[in-house]
């Protein structure tokens, strides 16, 4: 991935060719597995990428916030799923949720009766999916609670369409994706049986799973839908979790060496405001420097990245490319993606759905 040397740094740089390849590959994999692809747009927050995902056959988009849902719906996305236990009981959220239903086919996640009450008051008949905990132990109910929550939602006037889960424990270790994928399938199978048994759904339930590592490990029944997000760009985590090759990573942070204070060390102009501070316990440092892969980005402050263990000679003014640990947080920190093709700047895509 070639990056022009005259960029103002730090800059978040995207390869147009690699993004297209990643989008096409996942669309083909979902199609071959016979499941709907509903990509998670929180990774890119970007209209040009969303439009391309839809043109490649995505059934709709997944989002994490009401703001994201409003942006993509207002730009014509036909179906939006807020895969989050949205609280609609404060401020103007209820009115915004009701208005959103007029723009798109809307689904919302729910994992409690307390959250279902304001959802039903704001948007009677709203389509909801019950969130099931498949092993991450974040939000979501146990499979044993699916029936009672579904009955409560229907009683309140919501339309239960199925269940969803996020197997986030796939991120706990490089070897965790296979087990997390099995947990995901087991939880959704149990939720599907519960929903079918209680008779609150017409037809087959939607069973929606989603993470890039588990999708990369292989999508299988009972999933009817998959919601990967990070696959669009890839990142350093996905190189370990999903077996992503470095040549498939479509986003880097371009940074400049601004100081070489000691032998074996350098300082870059991309600190936590560019690279984010995300670092899983099993991964050393805050990114992979392609020009010096042996080195460790050991310390971040807001505008500085201290690089240690350098064997590659770097000098002040050198441009380097850093593959970030977690691409989603990096994109949320920038206002635009600098799009390159054949080593030249081809476009600039606004990150329109930033919080």
């Amino acid at each position: 991935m070639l990056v022009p040397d005259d960029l103002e740094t730090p800059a978040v740089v995207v390869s147009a060719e690699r993004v297209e390849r990643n989008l096409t590959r996942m669309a083909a994999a979902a199609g071959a597995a016979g499941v709907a692809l509903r990509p998670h747009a929180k990774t890119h927050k970007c209209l040009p990428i969303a439009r391309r995902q839809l043109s490649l056959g995505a059934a709709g988009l997944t989002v994490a916030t009401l703001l994201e849902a409003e942006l993509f719906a207002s730009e014509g996305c036909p179906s939006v799923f807020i895969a989050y236990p949205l609280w609609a009981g404060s401020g103007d959220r209820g009115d915004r949720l009701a208005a959103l239903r007029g723009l798109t086919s809307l689904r919302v996640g729910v994992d409690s009766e307390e959250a279902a009450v304001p959802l039903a008051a704001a948007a009677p008949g709203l389509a909801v999916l019950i969130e099931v905990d498949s092993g991450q132990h974040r939000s979501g109910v146990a499979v044993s609670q699916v029936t009672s929550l579904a009955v409560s939602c229907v009683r309140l006037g919501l339309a239960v369409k199925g269940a969803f889960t996020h197997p986030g424990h796939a991120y706990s270790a490089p070897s965790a994706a296979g087990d997390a994928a099995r947990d995901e399938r087991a939880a959704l199978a149990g939720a599907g049986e519960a929903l079918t048994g209680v008779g609150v759904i017409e037809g087959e339930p939607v069973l929606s799973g989603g993470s890039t590592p588990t999708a990369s490990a292989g999508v299988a029944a009972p999933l009817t839908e998959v919601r990967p997000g990070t696959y669009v760009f890839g990142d350093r985590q996905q190189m370990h979790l999903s077996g992503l090759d470095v040549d498939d990573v479509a986003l880097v942070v371009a940074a400049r060496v601004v100081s070489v204070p000691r032998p074996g060390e350098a300082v870059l102009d991309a600190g936590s405001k560019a690279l984010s501070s995300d670092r899983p316990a099993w991964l050393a440092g805050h990114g992979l420097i392609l020009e010096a892969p042996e080195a460790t980005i050991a310390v971040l402050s807001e505008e500085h990245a201290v690089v240690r263990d350098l064997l590659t000679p770097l000098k002040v003014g050198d441009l380097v490319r850093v593959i970030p640990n977690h691409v989603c947080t990096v994109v949320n920190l920038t206002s635009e993606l600098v799009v390159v093709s054949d080593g030249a700047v081809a476009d600039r895509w606004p990150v329109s759905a930033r919080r």
Side-chain angles (χ1 to χ4, degrees):
M1 178 177 173
L2 299 175
V3 174
D5 188 65
D6 60 352
L7 283 178
E8 180 75 19
T9 57
V12 180
V13 183
V14 168
S15 163
E17 292 86 0
R18 293 185 185 186
V19 166
E20 179 66 17
R21 190 166 67 217
N22 293 344
L23 295 180
T24 302
R25 183 184 296 128
M26 186 61 76
V35 301
L37 176 62
R38 186 180 290 271
H40 209 314
K42 74 178 178 65
T43 296
H44 58 75
K45 297 176 176 285
C46 182
L47 289 168
I49 296 176
R51 293 183 186 116
R52 185 60 181 143
Q53 288 173 320
L54 292 168
S55 73
L56 286 169
L61 296 176
T62 303
V63 299
T65 70
L66 190 55
L67 175 65
E68 289 173 355
E70 289 169 330
L71 172 75
F72 293 113
S74 68
E75 292 295 324
C77 181
S79 179
V80 174
F81 174 34
I82 304 176
Y84 191 85
L86 185 70
W87 175 251
S90 58
D92 63 353
R93 283 189 160 200
D95 292 339
R96 291 165 64 193
L97 193 66
L100 189 55
R101 291 180 73 193
L103 298 176
T104 189
S105 175
L106 180 66
R107 301 176 184 169
V108 177
V110 63
D111 77 346
S112 70
E113 184 173 348
E114 290 80 4
V117 170
L119 287 176
L126 177 67
V128 297
L129 268 62
I130 306 294
E131 184 175 9
V132 182
D133 179 9
S134 58
Q136 185 183 19
H137 307 318
R138 190 176 63 182
S139 52
V141 299
V143 171
S144 60
Q145 299 173 288
V146 168
T147 297
S148 60
L149 180 54
V151 169
S152 295
C153 287
V154 171
R155 175 178 50 80
L156 289 166
L158 297 170
V160 178
K161 298 297 184 183
F164 78 104
T165 191
H166 174 60
H169 53 309
Y171 286 83
S172 63
S175 60
D179 287 342
R182 286 186 284 274
D183 292 343
E184 174 185 54
R185 293 194 293 269
L188 288 175
E193 290 173 5
L195 291 171
T196 301
V198 77
V200 297
I201 296 178
E202 294 182 7
E204 295 297 316
V206 174
L207 298 176
S208 179
S211 77
T212 292
T214 55
S216 299
V219 179
L223 274 69
T224 65
E225 177 179 277
V226 64
R227 310 184 319 274
T230 314
Y231 79 96
V232 171
F233 301 127
D235 57 22
R236 191 175 175 220
Q237 287 188 117
Q238 296 307 323
M239 292 173 67
H240 294 268
L241 296 169
S242 303
L244 195 69
D245 189 84
V246 67
D247 291 332
D248 290 320
V249 175
L251 181 149
V252 297
V253 176
R256 194 79 59 179
V257 178
V258 293
S259 178
V260 184
R262 289 164 293 277
E265 295 192 11
V267 179
L268 310 180
D269 63 356
S272 62
K273 288 182 177 178
L275 292 172
S276 93
S277 299
D278 272 16
R279 184 183 67 80
W282 47 266
L283 195 57
H286 295 278
L288 173 67
I289 303 173
L290 292 176
E291 285 71 19
E294 79 286 352
T296 302
I297 301 178
V299 179
L300 293 182
S301 51
E302 290 183 36
E303 311 292 351
H304 302 71
V306 179
V307 181
R308 294 178 178 151
D309 306 319
L310 268 171
L311 300 177
T312 304
L314 293 178
K315 64 183 184 299
V316 172
D318 282 350
L319 184 73
V320 297
R321 300 161 298 162
V322 182
I323 296 178
N325 288 342
H326 185 187
V327 71
C328 302
T329 49
V330 167
V331 170
N332 192 55
L333 289 168
T334 190
S335 59
E336 68 173 11
L337 306 177
V338 180
V339 184
V340 297
S341 180
D342 295 326
V345 175
D347 206 348
R348 293 177 184 267
W349 292 340
V351 182
S352 303
R354 293 175 71 199
R355 297 184 184 182

